Amino acid sequence: VHVVRPVLNRIDTLIQATVTDGQGSGLFHPSWLLCVYQRMFHSENKSLMREGVCHLLELQVLQQQDFAVPFSQFVVGSFMNVLSETSLFCRSPGQSVGDCPELAVKLQVFLVTFFTSLPSEDRGCVLLQLIQQLGCKHWCAVPLLFVCQALSKLPPSPLLRLSGLSALREVLRCTMITHQVLLRGAAQCFLLNSALRLTDVVRAK
C-alpha cells in the first residue's frame, strides 16, 4: 500500500489538471486509471485491494460524463467482481455492532453519483447489466446485502423494464437461495424497494 499511494496521489494530480484544463479526458485518459485499478483489484494483498476500491469510490471526477461513460463497463464488470469480496465490508475501528460499514456508505454515494453522471439514455442499460452481474455468479450474503442497499438509494427513475425485473427475479431465485435467512430477508427488502423506485411501469407491462 505504501508503494501504491504515491502513485494514486500523482494520478489525482493529473486528473485535477485535466478537469481544470477543461479538455475532458485530453490530458489524462480514463484507460490509464482503469489499468491501475485492475492491478489493485487482482492483488492477493487484501489491503491493497481495499485501497483501490476506496479510491474509486471517492473518485470525484466520475461526476463528469467524460469519465463516467468510459468507466461504465468497468463498474459493471471488474468493480462488481471485487465488491463480492466479503472482507471489504468489515467494520472500521470504533464502529459499533449494527453500524453500516464505512465502505458500504461510500458505495451508496458512489452509485448515486455514477448513475446521475451517465447520459440518461445509458442509465437503464448499465443498471440492467449491474443487476445481471448479481445473478450470474456466486455472491456471499454480506457484500450482496450492501450492494442491494446501495441500489435502493438510487433516485426514483423509470430505468427498469421487463428485462430488469426478470434480472431481479434471478437474483432472488438463484443468488440468495442459500443465504442466511435474516441477511436474505434484508437484501430482499432492499431489492423490492429498488424495484418500486426504478421500474418503468408502463413499459414493464
Side-chain angles (χ1 to χ4, degrees):
V1 173
H2 72 280
V3 175
V4 174
R5 280 178 178 167
V7 177
L8 293 177
N9 290 337
R10 182 63 60 87
I11 288 175
D12 287 338
T13 302
L14 289 172
I15 291 174
Q16 188 58 46
T18 298
V19 174
T20 303
D21 191 70
Q23 296 184 22
S25 56
L27 295 177
F28 185 79
H29 196 273
S31 61
W32 289 100
L33 192 53
L34 297 180
C35 289
V36 175
Y37 285 139
Q38 285 280 22
R39 293 296 298 272
M40 296 180 76
F41 290 172
H42 288 89
S43 173
E44 295 181 359
N45 186 322
K46 301 299 184 184
S47 297
L48 186 58
M49 180 190 297
R50 183 182 177 86
E51 188 77 16
V53 171
C54 288
H55 188 271
L56 177 56
L57 292 177
E58 296 174 346
L59 195 62
Q60 296 297 316
V61 75
L62 287 182
Q63 295 177 4
Q64 298 197 16
Q65 201 174 99
D66 288 339
F67 273 82
V69 173
F71 263 79
S72 60
Q73 292 306 305
F74 180 78
V75 169
V76 301
S78 298
F79 186 55
M80 289 297 290
N81 287 336
V82 77
L83 283 181
S84 64
E85 174 61 47
T86 303
S87 63
L88 292 174
F89 296 93
C90 59
R91 289 193 302 272
S92 303
Q95 282 194 304
S96 303
V97 175
D99 289 346
C100 188
E102 180 183 352
L103 191 140
V105 175
K106 292 180 179 179
L107 179 61
Q108 295 174 27
V109 177
F110 171 83
L111 283 186
V112 171
T113 301
F114 172 68
F115 273 99
T116 54
S117 300
L118 290 173
S120 57
E121 62 271 17
D122 293 346
R123 293 172 190 171
C125 179
V126 173
L127 179 61
L128 174 61
Q129 292 176 318
L130 191 151
I131 295 172
Q132 288 172 335
Q133 283 292 322
L134 298 178
C136 69
K137 60 172 289 184
H138 173 73
W139 280 75
C140 294
V142 171
L144 182 62
L145 169 67
F146 291 118
V147 172
C148 292
Q149 183 184 36
L151 286 175
S152 71
K153 302 297 183 181
L154 292 178
S157 181
L159 299 178
L160 291 178
R161 302 182 185 179
L162 185 58
S163 57
L165 295 178
S166 298
L168 284 176
R169 184 180 61 186
E170 283 300 300
V171 178
L172 296 170
R173 187 176 67 88
C174 300
T175 311
M176 294 183 178
I177 195 68
T178 60
H179 288 176
Q180 196 270 344
V181 61
L182 293 179
L183 292 175
R184 184 173 71 230
Q188 288 172 340
C189 287
F190 287 132
L191 282 184
L192 176 60
N193 191 25
S194 300
L196 293 173
R197 295 164 62 88
L198 301 173
T199 299
D200 186 339
V201 178
V202 176
R203 297 188 181 185
K205 291 182 179 179

